[in-house]
Amino acid sequence: MDYLFNTEKIRYVKGEKPRVDCILCAIRDRDPAVKSLEVARTSSCIVSVNLYPFNPGHIMIFPMRHVPGIEGLSDDEALEMHRLLRASIGILTEEFSPSGFNVGYNLGSGSGASIPHLHQHVVPRYENEIGYLDVLAGTRVVVTDPVEVMERLKKRFLDVSAS
Ligand SMILES: [Zn+2]
């Protein structure tokens, strides 16, 4: 199935491939070389919209520390990530009304992992995932621009960041 994304805007967001060692560390450090789609930040973790979303509302939760694998995560960080996951499921449900979620890690080179900094994907799933026909038929309003998704979620995550 072919998802409709606003490729012009995505290209704008992506820009040139940033010259940084780790894109998640760069988001943490607010490196101007990286377009941040951060929506929440706690004492140890960050929630960010995915730059290459599989579906509207696709986010990542990751520890601020550059932890390559799950075995390096502290208990406190693991708990914080779980707390953020719980909040994210609630917020994404209210904002996008998905019918389900895929949640998980890609661990190791055989998994398709592309960033050497542990992160958890939260991918909302929709009953009839959005194709061109839905859009052409005007049966759905699609939020596809990661920046717009980020702006919408940022407001929702204010309480999470503050706590
Ligand atoms: Zn990193």
Side-chain angles (χ1 to χ4, degrees):
M1 184 175 290
D2 202 356
Y3 300 125
L4 182 70
F5 292 118
N6 188 325
T7 50
E8 283 307 314
K9 281 187 179 168
I10 288 174
R11 208 168 290 134
Y12 166 76
V13 170
K14 278 158 65 180
E16 292 298 310
K17 194 175 182 210
R19 291 190 186 86
V20 294
D21 290 336
C22 172
I23 195 161
L24 299 186
C25 286
I27 290 172
R28 173 199 65 207
D29 298 340
R30 300 196 167 96
D31 186 331
V34 172
K35 173 68 189 174
S36 177
L37 296 173
E38 176 179 324
V39 296
R41 179 180 290 235
T42 65
S43 57
S44 63
C45 297
I46 291 172
V47 182
S48 171
V49 171
N50 199 303
L51 195 52
Y52 310 97
F54 297 143
N55 264 344
H58 178 180
I59 62 171
M60 296 184 295
I61 303 170
F62 57 93
M64 286 196 200
R65 243 169 15 102
H66 185 93
V67 179
I70 200 155
E71 63 277 13
L73 206 60
S74 73
D75 287 354
D76 285 347
E77 286 163 335
L79 180 62
E80 188 65 14
M81 286 186 67
H82 183 74
R83 202 175 71 83
L84 287 169
L85 171 63
R86 197 171 51 197
S88 299
I89 297 290
I91 288 168
L92 291 168
T93 298
E94 285 178 16
E95 193 67 27
F96 295 106
S97 306
S99 57
F101 291 92
N102 290 112
V103 175
Y105 295 98
N106 296 330
L107 301 173
S109 58
S111 72
S114 57
I115 304 173
H117 182 143
L118 186 70
H119 57 284
Q120 186 174 47
H121 290 275
V122 181
V123 184
R125 302 303 301 264
Y126 300 91
E127 209 60 66
N128 296 299
E129 294 198 343
I130 298 153
Y132 284 113
L133 286 180
D134 298 293
V135 177
L136 292 174
T139 52
R140 273 182 198 262
V141 176
V142 190
V143 178
T144 56
D145 173 9
V147 173
E148 193 184 328
V149 170
M150 184 259 290
E151 295 295 345
R152 282 173 65 172
L153 291 181
K154 233 179 183 173
K155 292 175 199 147
R156 295 274 193 170
F157 271 97
L158 280 178
D159 292 343
V160 178
S161 293
S163 63

